């Protein structure tokens, strides 16, 4: 429809008759001809006038003396007048009105043509040129003309803001006058204020995404701008609490929501006064109050809307929904924002006119139509005149007809003439003119237009692009005074063995996670998360061993009895998830998950039956507190088995596919969890084992007294002498058992890691970043290249 409208308009503007389309064997041309006839018939019957025909209508009215004439008419800005414009000028001249085209005397004093390496260098130079000119004379008028401006507008605006308005690094409102304006508007929906309003409407749909909820919680124009709030402490807390709600929803994992379910979920968690905890912050319930109140107001509005859902009723719902959710925030809007909001309300009035063609709409269709309306509305705010203007350069019929009637873009010759006229206009209407072009666009080499051959060219391909976002350089060696505050002796640290694991990988990560409480938000995905699957396996094994209790009881169970026991246990485990995630755990999905877990657990118990030494399970999820390096760490062993001789085996379940105990016998321990647990044991320790419970493989890995103690687990043996055990190499260590030697090594390594953490070290280890989720915080990319610093360990002062 839009293309047909444009084609009809061009045909009228350039006096291309519809009859020319009659003999062309083309479905598109015949359709255009039929539509045009019907459209013109309707307009004639209803006495309607298309804006495209207004010049012709005025010309005829003047000839018929139906309109009063003027003594003189000046045509300004008609760079490429069409036939209707020419006809209007002819009509004016016919009745004796003087017509002129506005043309000033040439102002030009200086023209240069500059060549830059690429478009970024070219525009950086243009912005810096404008800055220098304005510093020289703030009142002069400047213009930068950019082809295809709208295509590149976002990053052009960012670049010019960085150079001309570096103070605008915070969200609006911004003080001070604009130093530049754009001549072209953008779709109304692209303005942040309008974007936030459209987000609210998504909550009225029968179902909406978690991403929508997250964006609403972080919307600038719904909850205000905390950086601009007079009470910064309150505003900062409010911001943190909104983030808390967002993190909780992401942790829950549900991707699609209804308004009723969202309200119910938030109310449920509001009742948990101090739970759940996330990254050190506690939910107190307050942060839900305002959020729930807004959602309930929205819910009440939707329930009370009059039926049927006419465009008029829906437009009222939209308006009330914005008010219920607090749009556009608690701050007084500036002039630009006010104009945007007024335009949105005008479009809402326009939307009401759909009553003429639609008596009822679904909410989803209504939202789609209204968003389409904002997308198609190009809006440019009225603003004070800025000294710098950034502007762009100023067909459905067959090509031979376009050429015959000289329509725009119909031939290279016509475009060349038009471009030449534009260039002459730029020259005549500017005192100083700088024309530039990039030498390359990605992998294409470019050259200047032949229209510029008459001017002198200056090569500036060595121009250095202004990097306004460059961070300060970071020293290659850590500053010994740069660290977090040292923790006191016997400090009860939160995080257990995870502290030592992170410390072994990267001290900065350990400090960020367990002292600054930094964490990456959960990334929801379809299906059950890996974490939830791990929790389900852990819980099922805990409950099962509380009932089976020993290898003998396991061996005495028939296959049917074991399967029945597993089924009942899985029903208990999955029931909690059905209550928490009814959207995911439907009856069919729960059945499939139960079958998967059942197969996995049966395979695991077959491995347990292969053990040659009788044992009893004397502990599941057993808690303890162990001190290392001045830290008191809480531990929780998944399971402890006791052999008939009284010795004990500590087992930790791993539900991933890559459980490994390899580093236990190496200089640096990267998996310190079970070595830490072993320190609480005396000579009763017989084995430490990671139990990998995974579809790819069910196996034990670790260290044990004997070959046959656990399937696949090697004996401790004699530890290599290069391990740091704190024993003088000259002393006789032959009398020490393998356990004694390796536990000395573990004690030294774990004490060292704990003391390093307690001291507040924030050194970055750039070699263990593959699976780290805190790279945005440590800013690893700013660390100098290790290869550029020979014979030095690359570490850095923490930007945090």
């Amino acid at each position: 429809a839009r293309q047909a409208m444009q084609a009809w308009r061009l045909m009228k503007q350039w006096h291309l008759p519809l009859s020319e389309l009659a003999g062309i064997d083309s479905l598109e041309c015949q359709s255009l001809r039929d539509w045009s006839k019907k459209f013109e018939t309707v307009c004639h019957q209803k006495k309607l006038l298309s804006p495209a025909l207004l010049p012709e209508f005025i010309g005829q009215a003047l000839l018929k003396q139906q309109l009063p004439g003027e003594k003189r008419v000046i045509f300004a800005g008609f760079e490429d007048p069409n036939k209707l414009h020419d006809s209007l000028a002819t009509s004016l001249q016919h009745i004796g009105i003087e017509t002129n085209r506005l043309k000033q005397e040439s102002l030009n004093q200086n023209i240069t043509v500059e060549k830059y390496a690429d478009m970024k260098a070219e525009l950086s130079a243009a912005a810096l040129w404008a800055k220098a000119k304005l510093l020289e004379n703030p009142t002069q008028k400047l213009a930068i003309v950019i082809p295809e401006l709208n295509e590149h507008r976002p990053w052009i605006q960012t670049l010019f803001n960085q150079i001309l308005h570096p103070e605008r690094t915070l969200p609006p409102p911004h003080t001070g006058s604009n130093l530049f304006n754009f001549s072209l508007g953008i779709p109304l929906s692209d303005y942040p204020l309008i974007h936030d309003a459209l987000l609210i409407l998504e909550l009225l749909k029968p179902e909406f995404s978690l991403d929508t909820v997250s964006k609403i919680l972080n919307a600038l124009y719904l909850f205000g701008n905390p950086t601009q709030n007079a009470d910064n402490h309150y505003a900062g807390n409010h911001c943190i609490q909104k983030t808390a709600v967002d993190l909780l929803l992401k942790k829950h994992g549900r991707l699609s929501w209804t308004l009723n379910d969202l309200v119910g979920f938030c109310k449920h968690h509001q009742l948990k006064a101090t739970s759940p905890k996330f990254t050190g912050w506690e939910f107190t319930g307050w942060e839900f109050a305002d959020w729930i109140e807004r959602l309930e107001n929205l819910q009440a509005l939707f329930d009370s809307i009059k039926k049927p859902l006419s465009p008029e009723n829906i437009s009222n719902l939209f308006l009330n929904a914005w008010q219920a959710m607090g749009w556009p925030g608690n701050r007084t809007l500036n002039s630009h924002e006010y104009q945007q909001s007024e335009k949105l309300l005008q479009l809402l009035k326009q939307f009401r006119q759909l009553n003429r063609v639609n008596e009822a709409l679904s909410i989803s269709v209504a939202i789609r139509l209204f968003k389409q309306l904002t997308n198609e509305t190009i809006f440019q705010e009225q603003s004070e005149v800025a000294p710098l203007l950034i502007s762009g350069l100023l067909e459905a019929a067959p090509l031979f007809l376009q050429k015959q009637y000289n329509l725009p873009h119909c031939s290279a010759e016509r475009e060349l003439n038009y471009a030449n006229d534009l260039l002459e206009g730029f020259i005549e209407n500017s005192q100083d003119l700088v024309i530039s072009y990039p030498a390359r666009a990605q992998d294409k080499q470019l050259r200047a237009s032949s229209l510029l051959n008459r001017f002198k060219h200056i090569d500036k391909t060595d121009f250095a692009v202004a990097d306004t976002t460059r961070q300060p350089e970071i020293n290659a060696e850590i500053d010994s005074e740069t660290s977090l505050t040292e923790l006191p002796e016997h400090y009860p640290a939160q995080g257990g063995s995870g502290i030592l694991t992170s410390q072994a990988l990267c001290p900065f990560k350990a400090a960020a996670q367990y002292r600054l409480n930094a964490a990456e938000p959960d990334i929801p995905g379809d299906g059950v998360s890996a974490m939830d699957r791990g929790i389900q396996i852990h819980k099922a094994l805990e409950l099962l061993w509380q009932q089976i209790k020993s290898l003998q009881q396991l061996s005495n169970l028939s296959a049917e009895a074991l399967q029945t026991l597993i089924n009942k246990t899985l029903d208990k485990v999955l029931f909690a998830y059905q209550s928490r995630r009814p959207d995911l755990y439907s009856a069919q999905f729960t059945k499939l998950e139960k079958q998967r877990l059942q197969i996995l657990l049966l395979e695991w118990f077959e491995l347990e039956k292969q053990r040659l030494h009788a044992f009893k399970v004397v502990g599941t999820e057993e808690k303890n507190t162990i001190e290392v390096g001045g830290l008191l760490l809480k531990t929780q062993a998944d399971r402890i088995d006791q052999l008939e001789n009284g010795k004990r085996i500590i087992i930790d379940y791993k539900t991933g596919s890559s459980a490994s105990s390899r580093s236990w016998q190496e200089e640096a321990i990267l998996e310190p969890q079970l070595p830490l647990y072993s320190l609480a044991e005396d000579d009763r320790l017989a084995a430490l084992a990671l139990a990998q419970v995974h579809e790819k493989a069910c196996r034990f890995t670790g260290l044990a007294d004997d070959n046959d103690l656990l399937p696949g687990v090697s004996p401790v043996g004699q530890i290599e002498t290069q391990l740091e055990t704190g024993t003088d190499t000259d002393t006789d260590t032959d009398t020490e058992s393998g356990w004694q030697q390796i536990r000395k090594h573990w004690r030294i390594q774990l004490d060292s890691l704990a003391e390093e953490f307690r001291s507040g070290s924030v050194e970055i280890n750039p070699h263990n970043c593959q699976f780290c989720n805190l790279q945005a915080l440590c800013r690893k990319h700013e660390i100098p290249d290790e290869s550029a610093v020979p014979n030095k360990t690359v570490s850095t002062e923490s930007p945090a």
Side-chain angles (χ1 to χ4, degrees), residues 364-526:
S364 296
V365 169
I367 292 171
R368 177 176 59 79
L369 290 174
F370 187 69
K371 289 177 72 174
Q372 181 180 334
L373 198 58
T374 61
N375 287 335
E376 294 176 355
T377 301
I378 304 300
F379 183 68
Q380 176 75 309
E381 311 105 324
Q382 296 179 2
S383 61
E384 71 278 6
V385 178
L388 171 62
L389 177 68
I390 302 174
S391 66
L393 294 168
L394 297 179
E395 90 220 68
L399 185 60
F400 76 89
L401 283 180
Q402 296 182 43
K403 289 183 176 180
Q404 180 181 337
Y405 287 87
N406 203 33
L407 267 66
H409 316 302
C410 66
S411 68
E413 294 80 10
R414 191 187 191 286
E415 292 303 291
L416 178 61
N417 292 332
Y418 178 62
N420 198 52
D421 290 343
L422 274 182
L423 179 59
E424 292 300 326
F426 292 148
I427 293 172
E428 292 177 0
N429 291 286
S430 58
Q431 290 184 347
D432 294 299
L433 178 64
V434 179
I435 303 170
S436 63
Y437 66 96
R440 297 190 69 82
Q442 296 178 346
D443 59 343
K444 295 180 181 179
Q445 190 167 350
L446 308 177
R447 59 185 175 87
S449 165
S450 58
L451 295 178
L452 305 180
N453 288 344
R454 53 184 161 147
F455 306 121
K456 180 183 178 182
H457 289 237
I458 302 173
D459 191 335
K460 291 200 171 185
T461 51
D462 60 348
F463 172 81
V465 177
D467 186 359
T468 58
T469 61
R470 189 166 181 266
Q471 301 292 339
E473 291 187 3
I474 298 176
N475 297 327
E477 293 181 289
I478 189 166
D479 180 349
S480 61
E481 295 182 1
T482 302
S483 60
L484 300 179
T485 306
E486 183 175 354
L487 298 175
E489 284 271 7
H490 316 301
Y491 183 79
Q494 299 295 320
S497 63
I499 293 175
L500 303 182
T501 302
S502 291
Q503 189 71 26
L505 292 172
C506 175
F508 177 86
K509 181 178 181 181
Q513 277 185 302
Y514 297 103
R515 295 195 61 180
L516 302 180
N517 298 320
E520 185 181 44
D522 293 279
I523 301 176
D526 293 322

Side-chain angles (χ1 to χ4, degrees), residues 36-316:
S36 299
K37 284 184 176 180
K38 290 178 182 177
F39 174 68
E40 290 172 10
T41 299
V42 171
C43 288
H44 177 74
Q45 291 173 347
K46 297 190 174 184
K47 297 183 178 181
L48 300 174
L49 179 66
S50 167
L53 299 178
L54 191 57
E56 182 180 63
F57 177 82
I58 292 174
Q60 292 296 319
L62 287 169
L63 290 173
K64 295 176 183 178
Q65 297 184 342
Q66 294 172 331
L67 285 175
E70 301 289 340
K71 292 182 179 180
R72 187 183 182 200
V73 173
I74 299 173
F75 286 79
F78 288 77
E79 298 292 343
D80 187 21
N82 57 48
K83 294 290 181 64
L84 286 182
H85 296 144
D86 291 340
S87 296
L88 176 59
T90 301
S91 298
L92 292 170
Q93 293 165 3
H94 187 77
I95 61 174
I97 297 177
E98 180 185 352
T99 62
N100 300 102
R101 296 192 184 277
L102 184 64
K103 187 174 179 64
Q104 301 182 117
E105 293 183 10
S106 178
L107 302 174
N108 191 262
Q109 299 173 3
N110 184 35
I111 301 175
T112 58
V113 178
E114 298 178 351
K115 175 182 176 182
Y116 291 90
D118 53 32
M119 189 176 182
K120 184 175 182 181
E122 181 186 18
L123 289 175
S124 293
L128 290 169
W129 167 83
K131 184 175 183 178
K133 286 284 187 182
L134 292 175
L135 288 173
E136 182 182 296
N137 180 5
T139 62
Q140 63 182 314
K141 298 301 177 185
L142 307 173
I144 296 176
V145 181
I146 304 171
E148 300 176 340
L149 172 61
N150 264 0
E151 181 181 342
H152 305 292
R153 175 169 172 155
W155 76 266
I156 290 174
Q157 183 162 5
T158 299
L159 176 66
F160 276 77
N161 263 326
Q162 288 172 347
I163 293 176
L164 295 176
H165 286 292
E167 75 282 0
R168 295 186 178 181
T169 56
L170 294 174
H174 299 134
T175 58
S177 300
N178 288 336
L179 292 179
F180 69 94
N181 281 333
F182 285 91
S183 65
L184 299 176
I186 60 174
L188 185 65
S189 57
D190 286 355
Y191 289 95
L193 177 74
I194 307 305
H195 177 266
D196 288 357
L198 297 176
L199 271 178
I200 293 173
L201 302 185
E202 294 291 312
L203 297 181
L204 299 173
K205 289 182 176 180
E207 195 171 73
F208 46 85
S209 69
L210 172 61
D211 184 57
T212 295
V213 182
S214 182
K215 288 177 179 177
I216 288 174
L217 281 164
N218 292 283
L220 179 63
Y221 291 96
L222 299 186
F223 296 94
N225 180 359
T227 61
Q228 304 298 322
N229 194 307
D231 186 353
N232 284 328
H233 177 71
Y234 168 82
N237 285 342
H238 193 197
C239 180
I240 290 169
Q241 289 157 348
K242 285 189 302 170
T243 304
V245 179
D246 186 22
L247 291 175
L248 178 64
L249 289 167
K250 287 176 178 175
K251 187 177 183 64
H252 184 63
R254 179 171 176 175
L255 294 177
S256 297
W257 290 87
T258 66
L259 191 55
N260 283 337
D261 288 347
L262 184 59
V263 171
F265 175 84
C266 291
K267 280 187 170 181
H268 171 73
H269 282 275
Q270 186 183 28
L271 297 175
K272 294 185 175 183
T274 59
S275 180
K277 294 181 179 180
F278 78 102
T279 63
W281 292 93
E282 290 189 355
F283 290 104
T284 61
W286 179 91
E287 60 270 16
F288 286 104
D290 181 48
W291 171 240
I292 291 174
E293 183 180 358
R294 295 183 190 215
L295 293 178
E296 287 184 321
N297 290 340
L298 195 63
Q299 194 175 28
L301 277 173
F302 188 76
D303 292 341
S304 64
I305 187 174
K306 296 178 181 178
K307 306 294 190 296
L309 297 178
S310 66
E312 183 173 1
N313 288 339
I314 290 175
S315 64
N316 291 333

